[in-house]
Amino acid sequence: MLKIVEKTKLWFAVSLIIIVIGMGFIATKGLNLGIDFKGGTAITINMKQSFVKSDVDKIINKYAKDEYLSKTVNDGKEIEITVKSDALSADQTATMLKEIKTQFKSSSLISEDAIGASIGNELKSKAVIALIVAMLFMLVYVGIRFEFKFAASAIIALIHDILITVTVYAVFQIPVNATFIAAILTVVGYSINDTIVIFDRIRENQRIMRKSTVEEITNTSVTQTMARSINTVVTVLICIFSVWVFVPSIRELSGPLLIGIGVGCYSSIFIASPMWVLLKNRSKKATT
């Protein structure tokens, strides 16, 4: 039987250190918010010929130096250019596109989408609301299905997953956009499922192991379900990693899924379960 609960302070300390580092980066550097949140112009150009990305970047630098992000997509046949809000006027954008067309004669504009900063602010507020509503419903469901202590532990674990994922994005300054929010909501749904599997086994063992302590019941339950949890997550991560490697166009979705689902497996075992033990023991002390 694994001694998970006995090392609660270690698990909590590791997570807390990572989260504090992430909060420090957010406080000093902030998140690298993408065009979906900050507003700006997204341009996609079909080059229709072989090209060197740095040559295109030299042209963009003339008009929006340090205010853009460019990447090649579709097996290097197209280039996506994302310019921050207010960095380019409509005339400057037209001039830049004309210069790219002059140097790369076969190139053609596929799309040009402008997103206002106000739309980005609205998206941020709706994203936060979506996360809060999702967690409230999960809190109610788990509270009814099990008990409030299980529900509170599960929500704390979910918040932990979100903060760790955000920390990775803050430290490495990976752009955060609307796709990131969709990935976070997916992670929340997957992680709560993994946590409930462990909680269900704890509830079953409470009936069987009546003379055992809460710590023993939890350790036994985690040990019994750990192989299933790890095998399931590894299978999922292999699939997502394959998508991340071979389908670059949706890395904005597969990237946070890789991080969040991996962290979710960790939190289900090492955060949610020990947290339930802490809440359970605290309630016992309060009633004695």
Side-chain angles (χ1 to χ4, degrees), residues 137-195:
F137 274 108
M138 289 179 185
L139 181 66
V140 172
Y141 170 76
V142 179
I144 294 172
R145 184 74 174 77
F146 295 88
E147 62 179 36
F148 179 76
K149 298 179 192 67
F150 281 123
S153 302
I155 296 302
I156 291 170
L158 291 179
I159 294 172
H160 164 275
D161 298 343
I162 294 171
L163 291 177
I164 295 292
T165 306
V166 170
T167 290
V168 174
Y169 272 65
V171 170
F172 295 100
Q173 287 295 290
I174 304 171
V176 175
N177 49 33
T179 309
F180 176 82
I181 301 302
I184 288 294
L185 288 170
T186 304
V187 167
V188 167
Y190 186 92
S191 183
I192 193 70
N193 177 67
D194 203 19
T195 302

Side-chain angles (χ1 to χ4, degrees), residues 60-288:
I60 309 171
N61 264 325
K62 297 179 185 178
Y63 303 93
K65 186 175 177 62
D66 299 326
E67 296 292 326
Y68 78 95
L69 171 71
S70 70
K71 63 179 181 179
T72 57
V73 295
N74 194 14
D75 297 327
K77 296 175 183 177
E78 299 175 2
I79 185 165
E80 287 184 357
I81 304 165
T82 303
V83 185
K84 294 180 183 178
S85 181
D86 301 326
L88 286 177
S89 65
D91 291 339
Q92 287 175 318
T93 302
T95 304
M96 181 186 74
L97 291 174
K98 184 177 180 181
E99 188 168 341
I100 293 175
K101 175 71 175 176
T102 300
Q103 183 167 338
F104 303 94
K105 299 187 183 300
S106 63
S107 64
S108 62
L109 179 66
I110 295 178
S111 64
E112 181 181 351
D113 300 313
I115 300 174
S118 59
I119 296 176
N121 291 330
E122 182 182 355
L123 182 60
K124 278 189 285 186
S125 62
K126 287 185 176 180
V128 172
I129 292 172
L131 282 172
I132 293 173
V133 170
M135 287 191 178
L136 285 175
F137 274 108
M138 289 179 185
L139 181 66
V140 172
Y141 170 76
V142 179
I144 294 172
R145 184 74 174 77
F146 295 88
E147 62 179 36
F148 179 76
K149 298 179 192 67
F150 281 123
S153 302
I155 296 302
I156 291 170
L158 291 179
I159 294 172
H160 164 275
D161 298 343
I162 294 171
L163 291 177
I164 295 292
T165 306
V166 170
T167 290
V168 174
Y169 272 65
V171 170
F172 295 100
Q173 287 295 290
I174 304 171
V176 175
N177 49 33
T179 309
F180 176 82
I181 301 302
I184 288 294
L185 288 170
T186 304
V187 167
V188 167
Y190 186 92
S191 183
I192 193 70
N193 177 67
D194 203 19
T195 302
I196 285 176
V197 169
I198 298 175
F199 284 172
D200 191 53
R201 183 58 61 90
I202 291 174
R203 186 176 58 177
E204 289 177 5
N205 285 334
Q206 279 183 297
R207 302 191 190 103
I208 300 169
M209 305 168 62
R210 294 183 181 276
K211 294 182 180 181
S212 302
T213 64
V214 174
E215 289 80 4
E216 290 172 342
I217 293 171
T218 303
N219 283 333
T220 300
S221 301
V222 171
T223 302
Q224 291 172 345
T225 56
M226 182 174 286
R228 173 212 179 272
S229 296
I230 293 176
N231 290 337
T232 302
V233 168
V234 168
T235 303
V236 173
L237 290 180
I238 289 173
C239 294
I240 298 174
F241 182 73
S242 299
V243 172
W244 186 82
V245 171
F246 297 108
V247 192
S249 59
I250 59 170
R251 281 181 180 169
E252 292 177 345
L253 176 64
S254 57
L257 285 178
L258 273 173
I259 300 166
I261 289 177
V263 174
C265 178
Y266 169 85
S267 69
S268 297
I269 297 170
F270 300 105
I271 302 297
S273 302
M275 180 59 66
W276 176 77
V277 173
L278 288 177
L279 295 177
K280 193 75 172 176
N281 288 334
R282 182 169 294 181
S283 66
K284 283 184 178 180
K285 289 178 181 179
T287 55
T288 56

